[in-house]
Amino acid sequence: MAHNALPKRVRLVEVGPRDGLQNEPALHLNTALKVKLIERLAACGLTHIECGSFVSASKVPQMADSAGVFQQIRRHNGVRYAALTPNLRAVQDAINTGVSEVAVFTAASDAFNQHNIHCTTDESLQRFAPAIELAQQHQLPVRAYISTVIECPYSGPTDPVTVANLAEQLTAMGCYEISLGDTIGTGTPLQTARLLETVTQQVPVERIAVHFHNTYGQALANILTALQFGVSVIDTSIAGLGGCPYAPGASGNIATEDVLYMLQGMGIETGVSLEKLVSTSHWICQQLAKENDSRVSQALKPLAGVKTFTQRQ
Ligand code: MG
């Protein structure tokens, strides 16, 4: 297992407003709430926020107002406001609404892609090509997500070589960063190590991000493993927003607060305020009438707003 020096600084990519809210009941959502959440997340010090997606409103009603969200957010300097854009038309919509970064998504498993986007992995890349090209003409950075990097709910374990080849192809197509997603959250640290060992032979580690789901409680252990490989970009979701469609009732995204707490304990810089994040986390859970899925926010709840809170940092 390769052990590079731990990164001194990590960039957290906050996916709560999109990946998180997309899995919450639409009845709790409205444009004003999303705008406020995004503005509060930026005020916490997060510099990279996935805010919406330009996909079919009938398939994902939670994201139907993404254009309105992008039009209404007050922008902070130095913050990237990203959108998911599966095709050419979506990139055009993103350009029209002033999105600062777009993202394409595919999976390492053909079976998963067939279920999710009704095409094979190769066909998904063909679909992205003109979308990536248009984004590049408009100087928009393009991120890529690869799902099912460890296991697919339909076809079983994923070969790390498949992920490495796909990451290399997406990089060659112009994606500046590849986010590796353990979609069903079954991965353990040794699998994460094998995956990163293989992928980083074909794509520089600086271009790799990780997106671990906490469904089986393995996310922090997997993230620590990724840090030991030199990965310095981590996808997280405030309050752990976003359940797991493959295990109803179980958690999906790892909470931003939980990752931030671990990074702070390791002396790794993020520029994000834990205190502000915890307060935002409790606020959004209240708005959504749901329990907070972050261990750290649960632990700090009795202290939030109390003077001693900051003294404990
Ligand atoms: Mg996710």
Side-chain angles (χ1 to χ4, degrees), residues 15 19 211 213 253:
V15 300
D19 190 10
H211 186 117
H213 283 181
N253 295 311

Side-chain angles (χ1 to χ4, degrees), residues 179-201:
S179 173
L180 304 178
D182 177 15
T183 310
I184 53 175
T186 55
T188 54
L190 199 59
Q191 288 171 305
T192 300
R194 285 192 192 121
L195 172 70
L196 290 172
E197 218 161 43
T198 307
V199 172
T200 55
Q201 280 169 25

Side-chain angles (χ1 to χ4, degrees), residues 53-56 83-97 99 102-103 105 131 134 140:
S53 66
F54 294 94
V55 298
S56 149
L84 220 57
T85 53
N87 52 41
L88 186 63
R89 207 209 58 207
V91 171
Q92 191 60 62
D93 288 345
I95 291 164
N96 293 342
T97 46
V99 168
V102 294
F105 54 95
L134 178 65
L140 276 184

Side-chain angles (χ1 to χ4, degrees), residues 18-25 62 112 116 147-148 151-154 181-187 211-219 237 239-254 290 293:
R18 201 286 303 172
D19 190 10
L21 294 185
Q22 176 174 320
N23 290 300
E24 300 295 337
Q62 290 92 336
F112 189 85
N116 200 32
S147 299
T148 63
E151 189 177 348
C152 167
Y154 309 110
D182 177 15
T183 310
I184 53 175
T186 55
H211 186 117
F212 284 108
H213 283 181
N214 203 34
T215 317
Y216 288 77
Q218 304 298 302
S237 178
L241 291 182
C244 179
Y246 306 96
S251 59
N253 295 311
I254 181 71
K290 73 174 301 238
D293 207 18

